[in-house]
Amino acid sequence: MNFSDYIFPAFFLVFFGTFVFRYIRNGSLTGALLGGRIKRTTGEIALSGGQFTSRVLSVHVLEPTSGEKPFVALSIVSKAPLGASMIPVKLTFAQAQQLIALLQQATGGRAT
């Protein structure tokens, strides 16, 4: 066997091993993708739902690292019979404040 025959399997094992380590260290798929442990889940909003599919927006608080303010994580989870996907977004405290201001502008400042 040639050395080049080991490159792809080695790359795959390093990538997979790194992801498994991050999953175990952070305790969840969202935490592994965002690089932080979820401190608490603030809430969820059902975006759409059908007989076989669903989409949910979740808001999480990630544990702060080294004296920083906590991060806010948003994740959109889509589920279907033959697949699922997740879109994670990590926001700093300032970015979360900007998002709040934009959402308040979009709704005319009314909370329901």
Side-chain angles (χ1 to χ4, degrees):
M1 271 188 139
N2 193 353
F3 177 72
S4 62
D5 294 337
Y6 294 107
I7 291 176
F8 179 74
F11 176 76
F12 177 76
L13 287 175
V14 168
F15 177 77
F16 185 72
T18 302
F19 185 77
V20 168
F21 174 74
R22 287 179 69 168
Y23 181 84
I24 291 170
R25 184 182 63 184
N26 295 314
S28 68
L29 179 62
T30 304
L33 292 173
L34 294 173
R37 181 173 287 277
I38 294 177
K39 186 175 183 177
R40 72 178 187 277
T41 299
T42 307
E44 295 180 341
I45 300 169
L47 299 176
S48 66
Q51 188 172 359
F52 298 108
T53 62
S54 67
R55 285 185 9 174
V56 175
L57 171 69
S58 300
V59 180
H60 309 283
V61 177
L62 298 178
E63 288 182 356
T65 56
S66 66
E68 297 176 347
K69 292 184 179 180
F71 288 98
V72 175
L74 304 175
S75 64
I76 299 174
V77 178
S78 301
K79 295 179 184 176
L82 297 177
S85 69
M86 182 176 67
I87 303 170
V89 179
K90 184 177 180 180
L91 302 172
T92 63
F93 186 78
Q95 290 170 331
Q97 293 292 332
Q98 289 175 340
L99 179 60
I100 291 168
L102 291 172
L103 291 172
Q104 286 178 337
Q105 287 177 6
T107 60
R110 295 183 300 262
T112 58

